[in-house]
Amino acid sequence: MDTDINISDTICAQATAHGNSAIAIIRVSGPKSIDAVDVLFKPYKGISLLKSKSHSLRFGAIYNGKEILDEVLVSVFRSPHSYTGEDSVEIYCHGSVFIQQEIITQLFSQGVRMAKPGEFSQKAFLNGKMDLAQTEAVADLISSETSASHKVAIQQLRGGFSKELSVMRQSLLDIVSLMELELDFSEEDVEFADRKRLKKLLFDVKFHITELIESFKLGNVIKNGVPVAIVGATNTGKSTLLNAIIGEERAIVSEIHGTTRDFIEDVININGVAFRFIDTAGIRQTKEAIEIIGIERTFEKIRSASIVILMLDAERPEAFRESLTQLKSNIQPDNQKIVVLINKADLNTSERKTKELLNVVSNEAGELKLVLYSLLPMSAKRKTGISELKNILSESQNNLSVAANTTLVTNMRHFQALSDTREALSRVEDGLEQSVPTDLLSQDIREALFHIGEIVGEINTEELLGNIFSKFCIGK
Ligand SMILES: Nc1nc2c(ncn2[C@@H]2O[C@H](COP(=O)(O)OP(=O)(O)OP(=O)(O)O)[C@@H](O)[C@H]2O)c(=O)[nH]1
Ligand SMILES: [Mg+2]
């Protein structure tokens, strides 16, 4: 994305979803915004926009040349008291696509240009209305679909995370200034900074950083959904199950073995928790190059899942036995929950086959740490057993609630910067133990400060900003 935005440009965009709606909002921001809208809009009563105070609302007509285009409400926000920090106007018009397009075209003729993705938020950041972590929280808040992801985003948006970082940043600045004072007096060989106290301060900061790093595991699950891999031999009904769970024909289903090649995923909300279901390529011996790549990916998905749904075909115990060795070497029963589903329960499976399948399962139960409650007969095709499965999944995550005001790291970029901070702090700790010269220690603390600064955007590059804001929608 072109991040070289000109802050003095006046920009506009539709802030509401595209398509027809009762009301739509068009947002304008920049030095010319009030003038530009004033040309198109005449209030029915009272003073013009030009004379309106900040945070006032006017009712009137918006014109398309001489003709009335719509009756609208217009709000005025004057710099610096707006989302972007600039003069801004919002037009609340009727939600016809035609009206919205006409208003935007009229704005263009007044020297206003179309906003780029995330440009309103980028202006807010550049004008010091929010730090970078807060603007990222805006995007998270818009996309939050569960109560937990909403809580985490709101906490970050309101500056909870930034405040914690700023407290740590201040501690590190105190340490580094004491150290650097020593350097100024190095001739005299004095120690201003009591080493024992320094160690304690460092320990506290590092401890807190570690807590934040560790919160990423939960934070990531909350933001992206609990990863649930659906795995098993080919043709057991994995894709049928995915479709049944999400209620849509997302994956191709066929009686041909090896139908699914690449993994397919979708997120759904079960009792307030987001689960990310991943349908994978069925496991079998094959010489087909593309299928082999697909099966490799299945193993990757098994390893990174929190829950593994092991799909068995009631009719084919031998297929389960064949895929067992490969499954076993990828499942980590200590960190994962395994749910075994015996699918195709609608078929009249012979007693011999059922017994055989149950035998294989119970023989493996110990090693795979299969919990018996999760051995569920179902028919993905007839959609029986789906709600039982959802209950099992939901119960397995009932500790996944987030208390208000907890800070959880949900963003990979923040996780990375915190890990870099911790690494630099570890070097300082080691250095203190080994009486490393003060100038080297202070250099490492400066590096830790640099990485904390990256999170809130005190340290930023065009590339970083481009990466962040290009993921926003236009109009935010
Ligand atoms: N009778 C019956 N047939 C089922 C059931 N679930 C799936 N099938 C059928 O089994 C066949 C394979 O289903 P898929 O969902 O494509 O199986 P898959 O495990 O994704 O297969 P691969 O992608 O090849 O690994 C299809 O013909 C489905 O209609 C079920 O519960 N009962
Ligand atoms: Mg499939």
Side-chain angles (χ1 to χ4, degrees):
M1 185 183 108
D2 173 18
T3 54
D4 194 17
I5 65 164
N6 192 342
I7 196 106
S8 63
D9 282 0
T10 299
I11 57 171
C12 71
Q14 188 181 325
T16 36
H18 289 255
N20 291 321
S21 54
I23 311 258
I25 304 177
I26 291 163
R27 242 181 163 180
V28 194
S29 181
K32 276 194 280 187
S33 54
I34 301 175
D35 286 342
V37 180
D38 180 68
V39 175
L40 320 179
F41 172 77
K42 295 289 159 275
Y44 288 145
K45 266 203 288 203
I47 47 175
S48 75
L49 289 187
L50 295 178
K51 294 192 182 125
S52 297
K53 279 202 261 181
S54 187
H55 294 70
S56 56
L57 198 61
R58 306 246 87 89
F59 177 47
I62 204 144
Y63 287 80
N64 186 357
K66 284 202 172 80
E67 278 171 43
I68 290 190
L69 179 65
D70 194 10
E71 289 200 321
V72 298
L73 280 171
V74 173
S75 59
V76 174
F77 303 91
R78 293 197 180 265
S79 167
H81 306 292
S82 69
Y83 178 74
T84 56
E86 307 170 330
D87 279 353
S88 304
V89 178
E90 285 178 9
I91 304 169
Y92 310 91
C93 60
H94 290 104
S96 122
V97 174
F98 171 74
I99 293 174
Q100 298 175 55
Q101 279 169 354
E102 281 299 305
I103 293 176
I104 287 178
T105 314
Q106 294 289 321
L107 288 169
F108 288 168
S109 68
Q110 297 304 317
V112 176
R113 71 161 167 80
M114 194 70 197
K116 296 173 189 162
E119 195 171 355
F120 290 92
S121 299
Q122 191 167 358
K123 280 180 171 235
F125 167 66
L126 293 173
N127 289 322
K129 297 293 288 189
M130 285 193 275
D131 68 36
L132 207 49
Q134 285 173 304
T135 59
E136 286 170 305
V138 172
D140 289 348
L141 188 64
I142 293 172
S143 60
S144 68
E145 286 183 347
T146 62
S147 142
S149 59
H150 166 259
K151 258 187 216 157
V152 177
I154 262 290
Q155 163 77 352
Q156 190 172 323
L157 174 66
R158 297 188 62 220
F161 181 37
S162 309
K163 207 179 281 158
E164 288 184 33
L165 291 174
S166 117
V167 170
M168 287 191 279
R169 195 166 177 277
Q170 196 50 52
S171 293
L172 292 178
L173 276 172
D174 291 347
I175 299 176
V176 87
S177 50
L178 278 175
M179 282 183 168
E180 285 169 8
L181 199 62
E182 263 173 33
L183 290 175
D184 293 342
F185 289 86
S186 54
E187 303 286 288
E188 283 133 67
D189 193 26
V190 285
E191 269 193 6
F192 287 100
D194 167 7
R195 290 297 181 261
K196 223 166 126 196
R197 214 183 118 231
L198 278 190
K199 277 185 199 166
K200 169 84 174 82
L201 279 173
L202 268 176
F203 177 84
D204 288 346
V205 174
K206 206 178 133 199
F207 184 79
H208 196 163
I209 299 255
T210 304
E211 274 184 333
L212 288 171
I213 291 174
E214 283 169 3
S215 76
F216 181 63
K217 202 169 165 205
L218 177 60
N220 187 42
V221 155
I222 284 174
K223 186 168 161 187
N224 298 317
V226 180
V228 185
I230 308 173
V231 305
T234 53
N235 219 44
T236 48
K238 301 178 294 299
S239 302
T240 312
L241 176 68
L242 177 83
N243 292 345
I245 292 172
I246 64 175
E248 143 187 5
E249 298 304 301
R250 181 89 164 69
I252 301 175
V253 166
S254 88
E255 69 286 353
I256 301 167
H257 287 248
T259 301
T260 306
R261 297 300 177 89
D262 216 343
F263 61 90
I264 300 169
E265 50 183 41
D266 215 328
V267 178
I268 64 156
N269 182 336
I270 304 174
N271 299 333
V273 176
F275 286 86
R276 189 156 41 89
F277 288 93
I278 308 147
D279 175 26
T280 62
I283 299 163
R284 67 163 172 176
Q285 293 297 336
T286 175
K287 291 205 163 59
E288 227 266 286
I290 294 172
E291 200 179 345
I292 290 172
I293 300 173
I295 295 173
E296 268 310 309
R297 290 194 176 168
T298 300
F299 295 136
E300 271 166 37
K301 292 294 161 190
I302 296 179
R303 291 191 291 268
S304 61
S306 300
I307 300 176
V308 178
I309 293 183
L310 199 50
M311 196 85 179
L312 311 184
D313 183 335
E315 284 280 290
R316 289 189 300 131
E318 69 286 356
F320 177 39
R321 204 182 285 119
E322 275 162 29
S323 57
L324 257 175
T325 337
Q326 286 174 298
L327 276 170
K328 269 200 281 198
S329 51
N330 287 285
I331 286 175
Q332 305 142 29
D334 290 328
N335 321 319
Q336 294 175 320
K337 298 208 163 72
I338 315 219
V339 181
V340 181
L341 300 181
I342 300 188
N343 192 31
K344 310 200 183 179
D346 54 297
L347 296 178
N348 249 338
T349 306
S350 68
E351 217 173 287
R352 182 186 59 78
K353 279 193 176 158
T354 311
K355 250 195 183 149
E356 194 182 338
L357 188 62
L358 289 176
N359 264 341
V360 191
V361 175
S362 60
N363 283 344
E364 297 302 328
E367 200 174 332
L368 286 173
K369 298 205 177 150
L370 300 177
V371 192
L372 272 177
Y373 75 81
S374 56
L375 187 64
L376 187 71
M378 65 149 22
S379 167
K381 195 171 178 174
R382 302 262 151 84
K383 299 192 173 55
T384 55
I386 304 287
S387 54
E388 287 84 346
L389 172 64
K390 285 185 176 171
N391 285 340
I392 288 171
L393 295 176
S394 170
E395 276 163 25
S396 77
Q397 302 296 315
N398 58 8
N399 56 349
L400 208 87
S401 60
V402 183
N405 306 326
T406 353
T407 299
L408 289 184
V409 175
T410 56
N411 183 308
M412 190 65 197
R413 188 181 80 77
H414 302 171
F415 173 76
Q416 193 55 55
L418 288 167
S419 305
D420 293 342
T421 310
R422 183 168 62 177
E423 223 179 280
L425 292 180
S426 296
R427 285 200 298 275
V428 184
E429 275 185 340
D430 293 347
L432 275 173
E433 287 302 324
Q434 293 152 18
S435 307
V436 163
T438 310
D439 53 343
L440 293 180
L441 295 179
S442 88
Q443 219 171 21
D444 279 329
I445 296 185
R446 291 254 168 232
E447 195 184 320
L449 281 164
F450 171 89
H451 292 301
I452 293 184
E454 277 180 321
I455 300 177
V456 289
E458 260 152 40
I459 317 287
N460 66 69
T461 60
E462 251 184 45
E463 190 192 345
L464 172 68
L465 297 185
N467 238 325
I468 292 172
F469 290 107
S470 61
K471 295 195 188 94
F472 275 65
C473 39
I474 292 182
K476 191 59 230 181

